[in-house]
Structures are given as structure tokens and as C-alpha cells.
């Protein structure tokens, strides 16, 4: 079994320094056993957790600040499934938009280099107030294997008095202020943010757009009923063994104004998106901050909300940090080697009839052998992989279709219950052998001059010749047998000419030339003189 050097669910905390792969620490799976499966070598165990799922390992890299890890690739493992989520964008302040979710990638990939570089991006900062600090995009996350896979950081949201339009990112940031447009997403990684809206002419309603995610962020309301745009719903992945959402967009903030009525606070998108600041129904120049996106999901930050005017209290929420999760098969199923060095799903061998040892199978690890298949009843396999069979007779096949071709499935199961099977076809071939005379029978009393029947039982059809005292019995020079293999019989009608002790032999010349002719042992008989014989 291949035991990679990594995986499980345990988190080791190491602070303050970065170690090279040569000094890599061992990170052990939280549900590890004595096999050591899923124990991995990584330059740092900070914010790293490993879980074992059967023969597979799942490594989760989830720091809250931008961090690059160097992972010593497990020996023999080159195929991986990766989930890469970038940091979410920051939310806007003072009826700002919601931050766009970090870009989302969930796919299979390969890596052959001895080390793999993994970077997890931090979430972008939310806008601090209405006129000083704009929100920022989330940072990229990446997995460097045979090719580099990079998830783009979520776009920052728009804010009043700053940049009204949301920024382009993995998913676009929601628009803020008055009619700020939503930023665009990046390809298949995410969608655009929602548009901000403005309703009225004086001290009017303004609503931020929701951050983009696995769906487009919603636009803010366009009426006196005040509701920011909801963050786009994130995307789900079952890479950890459970279906979870990641990369939800942030909810857009609101400006209620004296003409508006709060109807809803924009929710963040499922997948860690931060909700908007609670919609304010009163209080000039007062507001509520947006909620930060959830770390480890790449959710966008929520936008801040005010009643009217501006306030530093209505800052945008920070984007959630991203995450990189790697899943791979740590133990491959056994490899069976069969006849002719076959390691695939089928193999074949020919044996002559009467053979009992078929072949010795091997595997690349310790396994338990088992047999199934339509013709497996007369086969058996030892713990050492030696396949044997009850002696087969070419002339009397007992396979399922009676054609001397026996099909049996050889299975090998390792300690992790991974199973490999190889379907073996065993062809039984004919062996040149002597015919068999199984019995020669005579009447209890034999009399001179009286016709006597000699009965012969044998296995092979053919022609019989009978001899008395080494001389042919003229009436039985070529007697054709009756029946078929292996139940054959023949007779000879003989009238003894002399009394006393006699010796009888029988010779069979088989019809099937793969059988050699054979002569029976000598049978001693006594011929008597019948009383009153004339």
C-alpha cells in the first residue's frame, strides 16, 4: 500500500517563523491510526488541518492572512482534487455595496514536482468611512502543480464619496453610493456585483448592490421601501466529504433618508457572505457597520448602512479569508499480477487435464485473497495466492458452459478494504493418455461348449479384441463398444473349447487417437465339463 506522507484533521500551531521543506513539520490527521496514513510534511502547520476519509486524505489550508505553504508532495501521488477560494472583497461604507466573493475553483489537477506551493489569500479590508479609505479587493489564492491554478480575489464594493462602482474580481463587488455599477466576475470563478440604486430627489433613498458570487449580486431596491441588494449565493463543494457553500457575496448597505422605510437588511450570500449593516430607521448621521465575510470561505464583506448623511460608524465589513483544500487518494487499490505478468482486469492460462495447481498470484502489498465467478466452486486460493483446482477431465468438462473454459474472479483486498479483481480464464487442454479398462466380468460358472458372455466396462469408446491363453477369440476380433465417455461397455460371446484353467485378456483400440491402446490384466478363469455333456 502506498502511504503518502500526509493528511488527517489535526491542527498544529507554530508561530513566528517559516521553515523550509527540509525542516518540514509532520502534520497528522485528527483521525489517524497506526498506519500513519495521511501524515504530511508541510513547512508550517499553522492553520492546517488534515482529515482521513477511508483511503483518502483531505488537507485544509485556512490562514486568516495571506500565507504561502510549501508541501512535500507524497511519494507516488500525482493526482489531486483541489478547492481554491480567494479572499473576499471588502464591503463599502455609508450605503456602500457588498464585497464580491473570492474566486472559486474546484477541479482535478496533477503535480509531479517534489514540492507544491499553496497560497491562501486574505480578505480585503472594508471601507473605513465615507471620505477617507476605500475598500480593497481580496487577495488571490493558488495551487502550483503541473499548472498554476489561481483564484482571483473578490472585488471591493463601491462606497459613497469614494469609488462608487464595485471592482472587478473573482466575483465583482456591489455598487455603492448613487447608481454605482457592480464589478465584473472572472470567467467561471464568479459573477458580477449588483447595481446600487437611488430613489427620490432630496434626502432620498439609496441602496447598495450585493456582491457577486456563484450568482449575480442583487441590485438595491428602487422605491421608498428600503432594502440593499442581497449578496449572491456562493458555490457548494463536497471536497471535505460534506457539501458546504463557499464564496458568498456581501449584502449591500442602505441610506434610508427621511422619505424611506426600512423593509429589510440585505443578507450575505450563502457561503460566508457578510450581511449589510442593519437598516437604520432614524438618527441623522448614525449608522451600522457591515458584517465581515466568514474567514475560510472567501465571503464578501457587507456594506455599511446609515439613516441619513455620513458616519464613520457605517464602515464596510472585511472580506473573509480564502481557503485551499486538497484531496487525494493516499492508498491505491492493490495491484494483482496474474499469468503472463498480467496486471489488468483480465488474464488467461491453459492447463492440461488432471492438473491441480493453476497459478500463484501476487500483489504489491499484503492482501486477503478471495474467489468468485460462475466456475469458482471447484477452485480455491491460499493466503499466499496459490490457486488450485479439483482435477479436471477434458473428456468430461464441468464448467458452466461445458466447453473446458473455466472463468473465476480473483480478488485482493488490502487493510483499508480497497479491492482489486482480475477475471481469470482457465482453459483445460487434452492430455494424451492411455485408455482405461475399469472392469472385466465373467459368469460365475463357465462350461465347455456353452456360450459365455464376457462383459467389459471402460471409459473410452473404441474396438475391443479378446484373447484366451494369448490366442484371439475368433468371434471377438473387433467388437464395437457402446456408450460414450466415461461410461462405455462392450461384450464378447465365447464358447470355450477346452476345460481347465484359462487366461483371458482384453485389448481396446480407442476411437479418439489422443488415447493410447491398452491391454487389460490377465484374468484367470476355470472352464468346467458340464454333467451329461454329449
Amino acid at each position: 500500500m502506498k502511504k503518502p506522507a500526509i493528511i488527517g484533521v489535526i491542527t498544529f500551531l507554530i508561530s513566528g517563523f517559516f521553515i523550509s521543506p527540509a525542516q518540514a513539520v509532520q502534520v497528522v490527521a485528527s483521525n489517524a491510526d497506526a498506519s500513519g496514513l495521511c501524515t504530511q510534511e508541510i513547512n508550517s502547520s499553522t492553520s492546517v488541518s488534515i482529515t482521513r476519509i477511508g483511503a483518502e486524505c483531505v488537507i485544509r489550508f485556512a490562514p486568516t492572512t495571506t500565507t504561502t505553504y510549501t508541501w512535500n508532495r507524497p511519494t507516488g501521488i500525482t493526482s489531486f482534487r483541489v478547492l481554491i477560494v480567494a479572499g473576499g472583497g471588502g464591503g463599502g461604507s455609508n450605503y456602500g455595496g457588498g464585497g464580491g466573493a473570492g474566486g472559486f475553483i474546484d477541479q482535478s489537477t496533477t503535480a509531479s514536482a517534489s514540492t507544491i506551493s499553496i497560497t491562501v489569500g486574505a480578505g480585503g479590508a472594508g471601507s473605513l468611512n465615507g471620505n477617507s479609505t476605500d475598500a480593497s479587493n481580496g487577495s488571490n489564492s493558488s495551487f502550483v502543480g503541473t499548472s498554476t491554478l489561481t483564484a482571483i480575489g473578490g472585488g471591493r464594493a463601491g462606497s459613497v464619496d469614494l469609488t462608487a462602482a464595485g471592482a472587478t474580481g473573482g466575483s465583482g463587488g456591489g455598487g455603492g453610493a448613487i447608481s454605482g455599477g457592480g464589478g465584473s466576475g472572472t470567467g467561471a470563478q464568479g459573477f458580477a456585483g449588483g447595481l446600487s440604486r437611488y430613489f427620490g430627489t432630496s434626502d432620498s433613498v439609496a441602496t447598495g448592490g450585493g456582491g457577486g458570487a456563484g450568482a449575480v449580486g442583487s441590485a438595491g431596491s428602487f422605491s421608498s421601501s428600503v432594502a440593499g441588494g442581497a449578496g449572491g449565493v456562493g458555490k457548494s463543494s463536497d471536497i471535505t466529504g460534506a457539501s458546504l457553500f463557499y464564496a458568498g457575496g456581501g449584502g449591500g448597505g442602505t441610506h434610508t433618508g427621511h422619505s424611506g422605510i426600512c423593509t429589510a437588511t440585505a443578507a450575505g450570500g450563502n457561503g460566508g457572505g457578510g450581511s449589510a449593516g442593519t437598516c437604520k430607521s432614524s438618527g441623522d448621521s448614525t449608522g451600522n457597520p457591515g458584517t465581515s465575510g466568514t474567514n475560510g470561505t472567501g465571503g464578501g464583506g457587507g456594506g455599511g448602512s446609515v439613516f441619513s448623511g455620513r458616519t464613520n460608524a457605517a464602515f464596510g465589513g472585511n472580506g473573509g479569508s480564502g481557503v485551499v483544500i486538497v484531496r487525494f487518494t493516499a492508498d491505491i487499490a492493490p495491484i494483482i499480477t496474474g499469468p503472463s505478468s498480467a496486471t489488468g482486469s483480465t488474464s488467461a492460462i491453459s492447463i492440461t487435464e488432471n492438473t491441480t495447481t493453476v497459478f500463484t498470484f501476487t500483489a504489491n502489498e499484503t492482501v486477503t485473497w478471495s474467489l468468485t465467478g460462475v466456475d469458482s466452486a471447484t477452485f480455491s486460493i491460499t493466503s499466499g495466492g496459490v490457486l488450485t483446482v479439483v482435477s479436471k477431465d477434458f473428456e468430461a468438462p464441468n464448467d458452466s458452459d461445458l466447453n473446458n473454459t473455466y472463468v473465476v474472479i480473483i480478488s485482493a483486498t488490502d487493510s483499508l478494504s480497497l479491492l482489486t479483481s482480475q477475471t481469470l480464464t482457465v482453459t483445460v487442454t487434452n492430455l494424451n493418455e492411455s485408455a482405461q479398462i475399469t472392469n472385466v466380468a465373467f459368469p460365475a460358472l463357465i462350461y465347455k461348449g456353452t456360450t459365455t458372455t464376457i462383459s467389459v466396462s471402460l471409459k473410452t469408446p473404441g474396438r475391443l479384441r479378446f484373447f484366451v491363453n494369448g490366442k484371439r477369440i475368433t468371434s471377438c476380433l473387433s467388437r464395437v463398444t457402446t456408450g460414450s465417455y466415461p461410461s462405455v461397455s462392450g461384450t464378447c460371446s465365447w464358447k470355450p473349447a477346452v476345460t481347465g484353467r484359462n487366461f483371458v485378456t482384453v485389448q481396446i483400440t480407442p476411437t479418439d487417437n489422443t488415447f493410447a491402446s491398452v491391454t487389460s490384466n490377465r484374468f484367470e478363469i476355470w472352464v468346467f465339463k458340464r454333467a451329461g455333456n454329449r
Side-chain angles (χ1 to χ4, degrees), residues 266-300:
N270 189 6
S275 60
T278 302
C279 184
K280 290 283 291 183
S281 297
S282 62
D284 291 344
S285 299
T286 63
N288 292 311
T291 303
S292 294
T294 303
N295 285 329
T297 67

Side-chain angles (χ1 to χ4, degrees), residues 173-187:
I178 299 174
S179 301
S184 299
T186 300

Side-chain angles (χ1 to χ4, degrees), residues 345-390:
S345 60
T346 61
S347 61
I349 192 170
S350 292
I351 62 173
T352 57
E353 59 180 321
N354 305 322
T355 298
T356 56
T357 299
V358 180
F359 187 77
T360 299
F361 286 83
T362 59
N364 64 327
E365 56 179 297
T366 301
V367 299
T368 299
W369 297 98
S370 59
L371 300 177
T372 53
V374 293
D375 298 318
S376 62
T378 58
F379 288 79
S380 60
I381 191 165
T382 69
S383 60
V386 180
L387 180 68
T388 59
V389 64
V390 174

Side-chain angles (χ1 to χ4, degrees), residues 157-491:
S159 300
V160 67
D161 297 333
L162 296 167
T163 306
T168 295
S171 293
I178 299 174
S179 301
S184 299
T186 300
Q189 294 189 24
F191 288 82
L195 176 71
S196 65
R197 309 294 287 273
Y198 178 77
F199 181 80
T201 56
S202 176
D203 193 21
S204 301
V205 172
T207 54
V216 174
S218 298
S221 63
F222 187 57
S223 71
S224 59
S225 297
V226 180
V233 175
K235 297 183 178 182
S236 65
S237 172
D238 63 358
I239 191 169
T240 62
S243 185
L244 301 173
F245 275 82
Y246 301 84
T254 54
H255 179 285
T256 311
H258 291 274
S259 61
I261 300 173
C262 285
T263 58
T265 295
N270 189 6
S275 60
T278 302
C279 184
K280 290 283 291 183
S281 297
S282 62
D284 291 344
S285 299
T286 63
N288 292 311
T291 303
S292 294
T294 303
N295 285 329
T297 67
S305 296
V306 296
F307 175 69
S308 66
R310 310 282 191 276
T311 174
N312 290 344
F315 55 84
N318 297 327
S321 58
V323 66
V324 174
I325 301 175
V326 185
R327 181 168 179 163
F328 60 92
T329 299
D331 179 46
I332 62 173
I335 298 173
I336 296 174
T337 300
S340 301
S341 299
T343 55
S345 60
T346 61
S347 61
I349 192 170
S350 292
I351 62 173
T352 57
E353 59 180 321
N354 305 322
T355 298
T356 56
T357 299
V358 180
F359 187 77
T360 299
F361 286 83
T362 59
N364 64 327
E365 56 179 297
T366 301
V367 299
T368 299
W369 297 98
S370 59
L371 300 177
T372 53
V374 293
D375 298 318
S376 62
T378 58
F379 288 79
S380 60
I381 191 165
T382 69
S383 60
V386 180
L387 180 68
T388 59
V389 64
V390 174
S391 179
K392 299 299 180 185
D393 189 337
F394 180 83
E395 287 73 27
N398 63 350
D399 56 297
S400 60
D401 46 8
L402 304 178
N403 66 351
N404 278 308
T405 301
Y406 298 80
V407 178
V408 61
I409 300 171
I410 317 297
S411 296
T413 305
D414 69 11
S415 61
L416 293 175
S417 298
L418 294 178
L419 179 144
T420 299
S421 295
Q422 187 175 99
T423 300
L424 174 69
T425 300
V426 180
T427 300
V428 175
T429 59
N430 200 12
L431 176 66
N432 289 336
E433 54 190 332
S434 298
Q436 295 182 44
I437 297 174
T438 57
N439 188 50
V440 178
F442 303 88
L445 295 173
I446 302 173
Y447 296 98
K448 175 183 175 182
T450 300
T451 300
T452 295
T453 300
I454 306 171
S455 301
V456 181
S457 298
L458 61 164
K459 287 189 173 182
T460 310
R463 291 182 176 271
L464 298 171
R465 301 175 73 190
F466 292 79
F467 301 83
V468 173
N469 302 322
K471 295 181 180 180
R472 291 175 292 178
I473 299 175
T474 55
S475 60
C476 300
L477 296 180
S478 182
R479 300 289 294 171
V480 178
T481 60
T482 59
S484 59
Y485 186 95
S487 181
V488 179
S489 63
T491 60

